[in-house]
């Protein structure tokens, strides 16, 4: 029996703008998202039923888990077939951290089960399923560097800069729910929201033609770092002082191109031109990170999203 293993990466937001409110009540977004080499691992094998086992972080194994929701979505789409799997999720990406870990796990589940069950779905079709599960899920199917519009599900690829890395950090005792963060931002920022689709369209075009995309296309990490922007950062940092403290800590690192919060927080990151520069910065901050109970990771920038690992046989790949 063959197991499938997949890397399920995190992401950071190089740009995040809340343009305004859509008719469905969600925010219209304009983002640049970047997949990073900080990954959970998903392992799947055939089974008569549908089972999920999680390790690494406390996580529900039931229908509330995005992995199970993704699996059941595909089951319902192919009711004529008897589809089952045993799924093992090894979690490293912190929960409620602004890193998209749950959405990434859902994307990995869709991609893995598509192959395990021989469904023959193209990437475009998988993104449609993914958008039903969460706005960021299509991004992790595409991966790399993407412009993300709408609720985040409308993707346009951007050339990934050569090299590049982030030093990512998070106080492990602090988490942020996306709904809370967007609710606070709506209260604080609504007076500046754009009102109509024409204005949204102009903002999207400005990002497409703006300096950040140009800098990414020419591999200019210094300019990209200078232009990092997250409109949620100031609002969330005002509510959670540790976010602001972590940002200030990262700004003290040598050779840092720029610092920002990822997504709705509370994770923050510093952008570097090379992995070596990020590793040196990590070492320089090691004492202060430990003293402030901050966990940190050095992560390269990925050209893809979810990635298949090698297949393994039952003697090495059988799930618990």
């Amino acid at each position: 029996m063959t197991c499938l293993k997949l890397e399920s990466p995190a992401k950071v937001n190089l740009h995040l703008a809340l343009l305004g409110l859509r008719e469905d009540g969600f925010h219209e977004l304009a983002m640049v998202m970047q997949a990073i080499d900080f990954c959970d691992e998903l392992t799947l094998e055939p089974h008569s039923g549908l089972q999920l086992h999680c390790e690494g972080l406390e996580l529900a194994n039931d229908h509330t888990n995005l992995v199970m929701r993704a699996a059941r979505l595909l089951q319902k789409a192919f009711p004529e077939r008897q589809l089952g799997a045993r799924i093992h999720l090894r979690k490293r990406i912190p929960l409620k951290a602004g890193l998209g870990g749950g959405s990434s796990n859902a994307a990995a589940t869709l991609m893995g089960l598509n192959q395990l069950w021989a469904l023959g779905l193209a990437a475009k079709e998988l993104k449609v399923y993914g958008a039903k599960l969460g706005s960021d899920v299509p991004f992790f199917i595409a991966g790399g560097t993407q412009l993300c519009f709408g609720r985040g599900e409308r993707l346009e690829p951007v050339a990934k800069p050569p090299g590049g890395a982030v030093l990512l950090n998070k106080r492990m005792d602090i988490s942020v729910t996306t709904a809370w963060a967007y609710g606070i931002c709506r209260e604080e920022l609504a007076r500046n929201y754009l009102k109509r689709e024409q204005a949204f369209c102009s903002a999207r075009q400005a990002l497409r033609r703006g300096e950040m995309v140009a800098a990414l296309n020419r591999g200019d990490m210094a300019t990209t770092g200078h232009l990092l922007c997250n409109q949620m950062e100031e609002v969330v940092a005002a509510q959670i002082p540790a976010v602001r403290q972590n940002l200030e800590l990262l700004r003290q690192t040598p050779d840092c191109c720029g610092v920002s919060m990822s997504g709705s927080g509370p994770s923050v990151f510093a952008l570097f031109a090379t992995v070596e520069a990020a590793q040196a910065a990590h070492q320089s901050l090691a004492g202060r990170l430990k003293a402030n109970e901050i966990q940190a990771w050095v992560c390269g920038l990925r050209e893809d999203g979810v990635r298949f690992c090698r297949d393994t046989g039952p003697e090495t790949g059988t799930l618990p």
Side-chain angles (χ1 to χ4, degrees):
M1 184 183 299
T2 298
C3 290
L4 297 178
K5 288 189 177 181
L6 301 96
E7 291 180 351
S8 176
K11 59 83 179 171
V12 293
N13 296 79
L14 305 180
H15 181 93
L16 194 166
L18 280 60
L19 302 184
L21 293 175
R22 299 151 48 102
E23 291 183 359
D24 60 11
F26 288 94
H27 280 88
E28 181 73 23
L29 304 174
M31 303 184 290
V32 180
M33 294 212 291
Q34 173 65 58
I36 59 174
D37 278 323
F38 180 35
C39 302
D40 295 335
E41 184 181 88
L42 204 71
T43 310
L44 308 95
E45 69 176 356
H47 191 263
S48 58
L50 194 57
Q51 296 181 357
L52 172 64
H53 177 264
C54 302
E55 68 167 291
L57 297 172
E58 290 189 12
L59 202 61
N61 293 338
D62 59 18
H63 67 280
T64 63
N65 190 302
L66 273 170
V67 169
M68 290 295 283
R69 288 174 57 195
R72 295 199 183 282
L73 182 64
L74 289 182
Q75 278 186 328
K76 291 179 181 178
F78 294 87
E80 73 283 0
R81 300 179 57 177
Q82 298 297 315
L83 300 174
R86 185 181 294 163
I87 306 171
H88 184 122
L89 174 61
R90 182 174 289 114
K91 285 293 295 180
R92 295 180 62 220
I93 302 169
L95 309 175
K96 300 177 183 178
L99 301 174
S103 294
S104 179
N105 296 160
T109 303
L110 293 175
M111 291 176 64
L113 291 179
N114 181 48
Q115 181 165 320
L116 187 73
W117 292 343
L119 302 179
L121 297 170
K124 182 177 181 179
E125 295 172 289
L126 290 174
K127 290 174 188 175
V128 173
Y129 283 108
K132 297 177 181 179
L133 297 164
S135 301
D136 290 348
V137 178
F139 166 78
F140 288 104
I141 295 172
T145 314
Q146 300 276 340
L147 289 166
C148 306
F149 299 124
R151 292 171 54 186
E153 80 286 0
R154 293 169 53 189
L155 307 177
E156 298 176 16
V158 178
K160 174 201 167 291
V166 297
L167 174 56
L168 183 69
N169 85 26
K170 180 185 182 295
R171 273 268 302 274
M172 297 306 289
D173 60 332
I174 296 176
S175 298
V176 169
T177 64
T178 302
W180 173 84
Y182 276 96
I184 293 293
C185 287
R186 183 171 180 170
E187 293 177 8
E188 296 293 327
L189 304 177
R191 62 186 178 278
N192 297 319
Y193 283 173
L194 303 177
K195 301 299 183 183
R196 289 181 290 276
E197 174 59 27
Q198 184 176 359
F200 294 163
C201 185
S202 296
R204 295 185 202 112
Q205 194 69 352
L207 181 57
R208 292 186 186 103
R209 297 179 176 178
E211 292 184 44
M212 173 173 280
V213 170
L216 288 166
N217 285 329
R218 65 176 182 265
D220 182 351
M221 299 303 294
T223 300
T224 299
H226 178 71
L227 295 171
L228 293 177
C229 174
N230 184 338
Q231 287 187 342
M232 303 184 77
E233 181 182 300
E234 185 174 352
V235 176
V236 172
Q239 299 288 326
I240 306 175
V243 171
R244 188 176 301 281
Q245 294 164 5
N246 287 0
L247 289 165
E248 290 302 322
L249 184 62
L250 288 180
R251 289 190 180 102
Q252 300 171 34
T253 58
D255 300 319
C256 170
C257 298
V259 173
S260 187
M261 185 178 79
S262 183
S264 55
S267 300
V268 300
F269 67 95
L271 182 67
F272 295 87
T274 66
V275 171
E276 292 76 16
Q279 290 171 335
H282 189 194
Q283 292 174 359
S284 73
L285 291 178
R288 280 176 286 179
L289 291 169
K290 183 176 180 180
N292 288 282
E293 299 181 337
I294 299 170
Q295 194 159 353
W297 306 267
V298 173
C299 316
L301 309 185
R302 291 172 76 96
E303 295 182 359
D304 56 8
V306 171
R307 180 187 302 166
F308 282 91
C309 306
R310 71 183 189 279
D311 290 353
T312 58
E315 66 278 2
T316 58
T318 299
L319 303 179

